[in-house]
Amino acid sequence: MVLDGIAKTALLGVEMGMTLVLVTVGLTLIFGMMDVINFAHGSLYMLGAYFGLTVVSVTGNWWAALLIAPLLVGLLGGLIEYFSIRPLYGRNPLYHILLTFGFAIMLHGLVTEIWGGQVQNISTPALLDGSVDLVLFSYPLFRLFLLGVSIAVTAALWLAIRQSDFGIVMRASAHDSEMVNALGTDVKRVFTAVFVLGSVLAGLAGVLLGTSQAVDPGMAASIIIQAFAIVVIGGLGSYRGAVVGAFIVGMLNAFGPTFAPQFTDALLYLLMAAVLLVKPAGLFGNPEAT
């Protein structure tokens, strides 16, 4: 039935969108807090997938990979921020772009050298194998788990930013870092924590998507293009914009190949151009920043 196909495609779009949130939120938090355009974010996502692949191959435990791989990516992200990005705060953003772009190239080369360039897969855990009947159609259990994790992490992060003490410090640092420093909080440590958080989210998305799709060195480039498009559509530095933009792009990725297969690759850029023509700051961006 047509209704079955539409409902299944819509659920796929929600799933794809919420998974993209995990990558995009980290990217937009880093930019909103630190004014750093992190071109290496897609490479951190890729490393999450490869770290997960290695942990699963060594231990045979997918759940261990889900825990360990994001933490390893977060550790690497913290080292990158502390030793290379931190000395460039306050300088022209072009320095950050060139630096993180260089990291992206270097990490791509390292991954290809260590793991090879072939497509690989992370085995789905037995507990999440199979499918579930959802009245109109059946849907893979792992994809439902992926959707649930993405929603839970997005909601928890939003609550943390709005309600927790650290979230208050984050928002204050983004608006007036000098005042926060004067009040006794080390803003540089806050920046490092935000960069680590964004890296952990990227690594988590890498493990999840590496399991549901595939793992290869090209995954970094494909995800970073979508992530930057989502940030532009939603508005630079806007958490709400990142979530809404990811949801829109997820739906576009799901329905595009069905209704406009010949324009699938162009739809994302057409949408981005249309949004920028109407709202140059993005859907939820700050117009004063443009």
Side-chain angles (χ1 to χ4, degrees):
M1 294 176 60
V2 176
L3 183 60
D4 297 1
I6 293 177
K8 189 171 184 177
T9 304
L11 180 58
L12 176 63
V14 173
E15 176 219 317
M16 295 172 71
M18 291 309 301
T19 309
L20 284 170
V21 168
L22 296 179
V23 180
T24 310
V25 159
L27 190 66
T28 201
L29 283 177
I30 290 170
F31 178 82
M33 281 283 301
M34 303 151 61
D35 287 332
V36 172
I37 300 175
N38 183 17
F39 270 93
H41 201 70
S43 299
L44 296 175
Y45 157 81
M46 173 185 65
L47 281 176
Y50 276 102
F51 286 159
L53 179 69
T54 301
V55 173
V56 170
S57 64
V58 171
T59 67
N61 190 327
W62 184 86
W63 301 99
L66 187 64
L67 175 64
I68 295 172
L71 293 178
L72 290 176
V73 175
L75 175 61
L76 178 61
L79 293 174
I80 290 174
E81 191 278 339
Y82 185 84
F83 288 106
S84 60
I85 295 178
R86 180 180 290 194
L88 300 180
Y89 289 145
R91 297 195 183 185
N92 190 310
L94 182 61
Y95 285 94
H96 304 140
I97 294 174
L98 293 174
L99 175 67
T100 57
F101 186 71
F103 271 115
I105 295 174
M106 181 184 70
L107 291 174
H108 181 277
L110 284 174
V111 164
T112 304
E113 186 69 26
I114 295 171
W115 284 281
Q118 70 275 18
V119 176
Q120 303 180 66
N121 296 97
I122 301 175
S123 301
T124 305
L127 183 63
L128 300 176
D129 206 5
S131 59
V132 177
D133 290 328
L134 299 176
V135 184
L136 293 177
F137 55 89
S138 61
Y139 204 75
L141 178 58
F142 181 81
R143 287 186 171 274
L144 290 175
F145 171 79
L146 194 158
L147 174 60
V149 169
S150 301
I151 292 174
V153 171
T154 302
L157 186 58
W158 182 84
L159 286 173
I161 292 173
R162 287 294 174 185
Q163 305 295 333
S164 71
D165 292 341
F166 181 72
I168 294 172
V169 172
M170 279 178 56
R171 288 183 283 129
S173 300
H175 285 91
D176 194 340
S177 59
E178 291 184 3
M179 178 61 71
V180 174
N181 254 331
L183 292 173
T185 300
D186 190 343
V187 173
K188 288 185 177 180
R189 289 188 178 182
V190 177
F191 286 173
T192 301
V194 170
F195 201 94
V196 169
L197 175 61
S199 302
V200 168
L201 292 174
L204 177 63
V207 177
L208 293 171
L209 284 178
T211 305
S212 66
Q213 299 176 8
V215 180
D216 70 273
M219 64 191 299
S222 62
I223 201 72
I224 198 64
I225 291 172
Q226 293 190 72
F228 273 121
I230 290 167
V231 169
V232 170
I233 291 169
L236 292 172
S238 170
Y239 186 92
R240 178 172 53 170
V243 175
V244 173
F247 181 80
I248 293 172
V249 171
M251 286 296 182
L252 196 69
N253 289 342
F255 282 98
T258 301
F259 294 99
Q262 66 273 34
F263 299 113
T264 299
D265 294 335
L267 287 175
L268 177 62
Y269 305 105
L270 290 173
L271 173 63
M272 185 168 60
V275 169
L276 290 177
L277 285 173
V278 177
K279 299 196 70 174
L283 296 176
F284 300 96
N286 180 11
E288 296 180 1
T290 59

